[in-house]
Amino acid sequence: MAPNTQDTALWPAPHASGAVDATVHVPGSKSVTNRALVLASLASEPGWLRRPLRSRDTLLMAGALRAMGIEIEETVSSSSSVAGGPDGIGEAWRVLPTGLRGPATVDVGNAGTVMRFLPPVATLADGPVRFDGDPRSYERPLNGVIDALRQLGARIDDDGRGALPMTVHGSGALEGGQVSIDASSSSQFVSALLLSGPRFNQGVEVRHTGSTLPSMPHIRMTVDMLRAVGAQVDTPESGGEPNVWRVTPGALLGRDLVIEPDLSNAQPFLAAALVTGGKVVVPAWPARTTQPGDRLREIFTEMGGSCELTEYGLAFTGTGSVHGIDVDLSEVGELTPGIAAVAALADSPSTLRGVAHLRLHETDRLAALTKEINELGGDVTETADGLHIRPRRLHGGIFHTYDDHRMATAGAIIGLAVEGVEIENVATTAKTLPDFPDLWTGMLGA
C-alpha cells in the first residue's frame, strides 16, 4: 500500500500547549445530507435542505443529481429557521425534482454514498448514465448493488468487474420486487436499494444473506429518513423478518429538513478534550439521532472523559487521563481511526474489534493505521477483525493519509500530544469536513 503521491504538502499538526477550552460549530452530517438529496430528488414536490454540509462528497452528490436532470438551487438566508451558526446566517438548498434523464455522466470521486446510492436512481432515468470516479473507487466493492439491480430488472454494463466504471441503462422505471444480497462488506448496499425503493413499480424487499452486517445505525438512518418523507417501511425492528426490509411503492413528500451536525466529524474535537484534559462544546448535538457518532459519548467517557448533553449541545470534558478500551465497533466502524489515535496515547492497551470491513473503505484503514502509528514509534498489530494497540512513547514524523479524511484527522489527534507530527495531504479532509485545519487551529486558540 503506497501513500498518496499526488499531494505531498505536509501540514505541521499543531501541538497542544495546554488543555483546550473551545466551542466548535461542526458542519452538517454528510450521511444525512446525501440521503436527503436523494430522497428530495425522488419526491413528487420540491423540498428544502437547511444547513447542508458543503464538502467534496456532498457536492459530488449534488453534481451527479444535477447531471441527471434534478434542479438544486443554493441560497443563503438570515432567517432564524436556517441559522447555521452564531451569526444567524445559514445555507439552504432547494431541490426541484424535475425528472431524471440521460444520457449523463456521474463523477463519484471516492464517495461510497454516491457510487452506491445513485445507480438505483439511475435506473429511473430516461437514458444511460455512466458512473466513473477516482482510481480508488475502482477497488471498492459495488457488486452488491449491481447484482441486486440486475435481479430487479435493470441493465448494467460493468464488463463483469462488479465495480466502477460502469453504465446504467435507465428506462424511466424499474419493476422492483424481491432481492437477496450479501451486504457484509457495506450496509450502503441495503440503504441504496431502500432509498429508491418507493419509486420502483413493486417497491422493494431486500433480504440480507450474509453472516454479518456492519454499520446498522446507517440503515436505521435510511429507514427513519424514508418514513419522514412518507414512505412505508417494514424492518426487523418493527416486527418483520430478521435481515429483511420492505419498502412499499408510493409517492415521496417534499420536506423542509434541517441537517444535524456531523457527529462523526465531531470526533477529533472531542478527542482533543480527552487527550489534553480540556473541554469542548459542540452546539446543536441532537438529543435523539441515528448517527453512529453519537456512540462517542459512551466510548470516550469509558476512555476517561465525561459529557453533559444540554439544550445548547454537548459539553465534553477530559480528566487528564486516557484509558485503553476493549470495544466492538462493528456498528460504528467509521469512528475507528479516531479511537485508534486516542488509544495510542492511552495508559493501557486497547482492542478494537468487529471492523474487518474497514479494509474496503477509502483505504485499507486497518493496514494504514497500523503502519502510520507504528512509524511514529507505536505498537499496533492487526487482528482478523480489528486492531490491538499497546501504548508506547511516540515521536514526530510524517503521517500519511492515503487520500482518507479520517486518517488525516487521526494524525491531527496524535499531533496534539506528540511534537513534530506532519500530516501529508491534510486537504483530503475536505471530503466531509471543509476547513478542518482552520477549525482545528481555532479550537486551539491559534
Side-chain angles (χ1 to χ4, degrees):
M1 180 178 55
N4 170 59
T5 56
Q6 294 179 336
D7 186 342
T8 56
L10 298 179
W11 180 66
H15 184 259
S17 57
V20 302
D21 185 2
T23 295
V24 180
H25 290 269
V26 177
S29 164
K30 176 204 73 174
S31 298
V32 175
T33 298
N34 275 356
R35 283 166 173 78
L37 281 169
V38 171
L39 291 172
S41 299
L42 296 174
S44 57
E45 57 192 351
W48 286 91
L49 278 65
R50 315 283 185 177
R51 297 187 220 163
L53 174 66
R54 171 180 283 275
S55 72
R56 187 186 185 214
D57 277 17
T58 60
L59 293 176
L60 284 166
M61 180 67 84
L65 291 166
R66 287 185 175 116
M68 288 191 280
I70 302 299
E71 292 185 24
I72 302 174
E73 301 173 349
E74 302 179 28
T75 63
V76 175
S77 171
S78 59
S79 165
S80 60
S81 66
V82 295
D87 55 3
I89 302 297
E91 187 172 3
W93 293 352
R94 186 169 186 242
V95 182
L96 302 168
T98 45
L100 296 159
R101 60 180 180 269
T105 298
V106 166
D107 175 12
V108 308
N110 191 19
T113 51
V114 182
M115 71 178 73
R116 291 165 183 153
F117 292 177
L118 290 190
V121 175
T123 67
L124 304 172
D126 185 13
V129 180
R130 177 172 172 78
F131 289 82
D132 208 338
D134 296 353
R136 171 62 180 173
S137 71
Y138 293 9
E139 302 171 22
R140 301 184 68 180
L142 203 56
N143 55 296
V145 172
I146 294 172
D147 294 346
L149 291 175
R150 284 178 175 148
Q151 289 182 55
L152 296 173
R155 184 162 69 93
I156 300 173
D157 294 334
D158 69 334
D159 293 331
R161 286 183 303 269
L164 295 178
M166 68 179 190
T167 298
V168 177
H169 294 274
S171 59
L174 191 69
E175 191 59 24
Q178 297 180 348
V179 64
S180 296
I181 63 170
D182 183 350
S184 300
S185 60
S186 177
S187 68
Q188 290 176 351
F189 294 164
V190 175
S191 288
L193 297 167
L194 299 183
L195 287 167
S196 292
R199 290 286 306 275
F200 299 162
N201 294 342
Q202 296 183 37
V204 71
E205 176 184 297
V206 181
R207 184 179 299 271
H208 166 58
T209 60
S211 57
T212 61
L213 184 58
S215 305
M216 274 297 297
H218 279 126
I219 295 179
R220 289 193 282 270
M221 177 187 293
T222 297
V223 169
D224 279 7
M225 293 184 68
L226 275 162
R227 288 172 173 163
V229 294
Q232 180 179 328
V233 188
D234 295 323
T235 71
E237 293 89 349
S238 60
E241 293 181 62
N243 291 324
V244 176
W245 293 262
R246 295 184 181 90
V247 180
T248 303
L252 298 179
L253 306 173
R255 290 297 197 197
D256 194 323
L257 178 67
V258 179
I259 306 296
E260 298 172 355
D262 193 312
L263 306 188
S264 295
N265 278 342
Q267 181 182 36
F269 305 101
L270 302 185
L274 184 56
V275 167
T276 68
K279 179 179 180 180
V280 167
V281 176
V282 179
W285 192 289
R288 177 191 175 277
T289 180
T290 52
Q291 287 193 61
D294 197 43
R295 274 281 305 279
L296 288 168
R297 291 191 289 155
E298 169 196 338
I299 293 169
F300 277 173
T301 295
E302 187 175 342
M303 295 186 82
S306 64
C307 64
E308 181 184 10
L309 185 61
T310 69
E311 291 185 0
Y312 180 73
L314 181 74
F316 188 85
T317 305
T319 59
S321 297
V322 181
H323 309 311
I325 191 171
D326 186 328
V327 61
D328 183 341
L329 299 175
S330 57
E331 292 205 345
V332 293
E334 66 194 47
L335 304 180
T336 303
I339 294 170
V342 173
L345 303 170
D347 57 15
S348 58
S350 294
T351 300
L352 313 184
R353 296 178 282 106
V355 288
H357 61 285
L358 294 190
R359 295 187 170 99
L360 301 171
H361 276 216
E362 281 81 347
T363 189
D364 179 342
R365 284 179 171 164
L366 300 184
L369 287 164
T370 300
K371 180 176 182 293
E372 297 310 314
I373 294 174
N374 286 351
E375 289 195 352
L376 298 182
D379 184 2
V380 182
T381 55
E382 282 192 61
T383 65
D385 71 339
L387 299 172
H388 186 62
I389 303 167
R390 303 169 194 82
R392 289 175 56 178
R393 184 177 181 86
L394 302 181
H395 55 72
I398 297 174
F399 195 94
H400 298 102
T401 62
Y402 308 88
D403 288 326
D404 187 335
H405 55 131
R406 301 205 193 281
M407 286 296 296
T409 54
I413 293 168
I414 293 173
L416 289 173
V418 180
E419 291 193 65
V421 174
E422 295 182 294
I423 311 296
E424 169 261 344
N425 189 18
V426 74
T428 195
T429 54
K431 177 180 170 69
T432 61
L433 188 52
D435 305 320
F436 169 74
D438 289 343
L439 286 169
W440 196 247
T441 54
M443 171 193 69
L444 294 170

